[in-house]
Amino acid sequence: MSKPVLGIIGGGQLGSMLAMAAKKLEVKTIIFCDDINAPAQKYSNEFICGKYDNKEKINQFIKKVDIITFEFENIPYKTLNEINKIKPVLPKPTVNKIIQHRLTEKDFLNKLNIKTTEYILIKNKSAISSSKNLLPGLLKTTTLGYDGKGQYKIESINDLKFLNINFSKEYILEKLVKLKKEISIIITRFANNKYEVYEPIENTHEEQILKHSKIPADISEINFNKSKEWAIKIAKNLDYIGTLCVEFFIDGNDNLYVNEIAPRVHNSGHLTIDAYNVSQFENHIRAVCDLQKVKTKRLYAAKMKNLIGNDIFIYKNKKFKKNEFFYDYFKKEIKDKRKMGHLTTIFIK
Ligand code: AMP
C-alpha cells in the first residue's frame, strides 16, 4: 500500500520534528504556515505559505495532501471542520472544540471523574468577588492563553484594584494549587483503540514556561499509575488519533490534578527522541497515517533543557559530550521568552 502524503498545519519546531520523523518513515510532508520564515520548511517536501483564513491557499494545500494534522491547537475549529469535510483531519476537529476552551475542557475532565483544580466561569469583576473561596487563584482567559499568557494571579479581592483586566473577554478563575511537582504524560492512540503510553515526565517551569523535563519522574507509584490511567481515559473519550499530552499538578499531599490537555506533540516529550526507541513524533506520524504500531520502550534516563531567548548563543558553538544532543530550531529572530532550541542529555538507566 502506498503511503499517504501528510499535510501539517504550522511550521515551528514541532512541525520540523514531525517532518523529520515522517521523512524517516518515507512519508511525504507539506507544511502550511503563515510565516514565510517557518523553520519546518527545511525538513518538509513542500511548503505553502498562507494565512490560516486564506481559502484559496488552504484549498491548494488540501488538494495536494491525503491526511492533515497540525502542530498547534488554536487553529479555529470552523477552519479545521471545513477542511475535514474534504480530507481527514487527525486528531479530529471535535477534539479541538473541547480543548480550545478552558471551561469545556475542564467540564469534560470532571464528567470523566478526573480531578482538576476548582474553577468557575468569570464574565465580570463582581463574579470574582462572589468566588472568594477560589482565592488565592489564577484568572485565565478561556481561550488562546498558553505559557502563562492571559493569566493574572489574584491573592485577594483587593488585587483587583491594581490589575488592569479587560472584562470584555471571558475568564475562568482557578484555585491556586500549592505545587509540589508538575508532570506530563505523552500518549499516542492508534486506530482500533491501541495505545503507546510514555512514562510520566517531570517538568519544571520558569515564569510559567517549561524549562526542564526529566525521566524517570520522582513521583509515587500511585501517581505514576494514575496519571497513565487518566491519560488513557482522556484519549479514549476524545476518540483521539495521534499523540496527545496531558499536563498534571501534584500538591503537597500527593493529590493529582489535570491542568490541561494539549492535542498534539508536546515540548515535554522532546526527550523521547533520544531516550526511546520510538519518539512522540514518530508515533504521531504512525498513528495519523495508519502505519504499523511499534512497541515503544524507554532506552535511557534523560533530561531536557529548553533554550529560551538568548540562551541559544551559548550552545550554538559549544562542544557536546557523547550523551548530549543539541537541537537548534533555526528561528530567524531571537526573542525574549521564545523557545529557540533544546538540549537532551541521556544516561544509562
Ligand atoms: P497553563 O498556561 O495553564 O498551562 O499554566 C502555566 C503554568 O502556570 C503551569 O505549568 C503552572 O506552573 C502554573 N499554573 C497554572 N495554573 C495553576 C494553578 N491553578 N495552580 C498553581 N500553578 C498553576
Side-chain angles (χ1 to χ4, degrees), residues 101-103 106 119-122 138-142 170-174:
H101 198 285
R102 287 193 192 269
L103 188 73
K106 282 195 169 30
Y119 62 99
I120 191 164
L121 180 68
I122 299 288
L138 272 177
L139 192 69
K140 302 181 177 179
T141 48
T142 49
E170 277 186 351
Y171 296 86
I172 60 160
L173 178 63
E174 230 183 87

Side-chain angles (χ1 to χ4, degrees), residues 102 117 138 140 145-148 151 174-177 179 182 205 208 247 249 259-260:
R102 287 193 192 269
T117 54
L138 272 177
K140 302 181 177 179
Y146 65 96
D147 286 347
Q151 297 187 6
E174 230 183 87
K175 198 172 174 119
L176 205 67
V177 173
L179 296 176
E182 292 188 66
H205 293 76
Q208 287 159 307
E247 295 177 42
F249 295 148
N259 172 30
E260 59 185 7

Side-chain angles (χ1 to χ4, degrees), residues 233-245:
K233 199 172 190 184
I234 290 167
K236 186 173 180 197
N237 280 278
L238 287 172
D239 194 16
Y240 198 89
I241 301 289
T243 296
L244 168 95
C245 175

Side-chain angles (χ1 to χ4, degrees), residues 21 24-25 277-287 294:
K24 182 179 157 193
L25 298 169
N277 64 332
V278 185
S279 74
Q280 62 163 347
F281 303 99
E282 183 176 334
N283 265 331
H284 185 75
I285 306 292
R286 287 183 181 277
V294 174

Side-chain angles (χ1 to χ4, degrees), residues 113-131:
N113 279 325
I114 290 177
K115 191 170 176 158
T116 64
T117 54
E118 287 175 61
Y119 62 99
I120 191 164
L121 180 68
I122 299 288
K123 290 189 173 172
N124 50 51
K125 209 171 181 170
S126 61
I128 301 180
S129 311
S130 38
S131 310

Side-chain angles (χ1 to χ4, degrees), residues 153-261:
K153 191 171 177 185
I154 303 177
E155 296 280 351
S156 70
I157 297 296
N158 215 24
D159 290 355
L160 292 175
K161 286 186 202 148
F162 312 106
L163 294 169
N164 190 14
I165 302 168
N166 172 4
F167 282 102
S168 66
K169 291 185 201 167
E170 277 186 351
Y171 296 86
I172 60 160
L173 178 63
E174 230 183 87
K175 198 172 174 119
L176 205 67
V177 173
K178 282 197 184 121
L179 296 176
K180 181 166 95 175
K181 272 197 201 301
E182 292 188 66
I183 61 166
S184 56
I185 291 279
I186 309 281
I187 176 170
T188 308
R189 186 169 179 264
F190 297 78
N192 307 325
N193 201 26
K194 296 251 175 7
Y195 302 91
E196 288 296 338
V197 193
Y198 294 87
E199 70 175 57
I201 301 163
E202 183 172 334
N203 301 313
T204 46
H205 293 76
E206 278 174 22
E207 294 180 52
Q208 287 159 307
I209 300 175
L210 181 68
K211 188 69 189 175
H212 294 104
S213 296
K214 70 163 192 153
I215 45 169
D218 181 16
I219 55 171
S220 68
E221 199 182 326
I222 292 179
N223 282 335
F224 183 98
N225 293 326
K226 203 196 258 184
S227 58
K228 281 177 132 183
E229 268 166 38
W230 283 0
I232 292 172
K233 199 172 190 184
I234 290 167
K236 186 173 180 197
N237 280 278
L238 287 172
D239 194 16
Y240 198 89
I241 301 289
T243 296
L244 168 95
C245 175
V246 184
E247 295 177 42
F248 299 85
F249 295 148
I250 299 175
D251 71 12
N253 295 322
D254 253 358
N255 293 308
L256 185 71
Y257 308 79
V258 169
N259 172 30
E260 59 185 7
I261 304 166

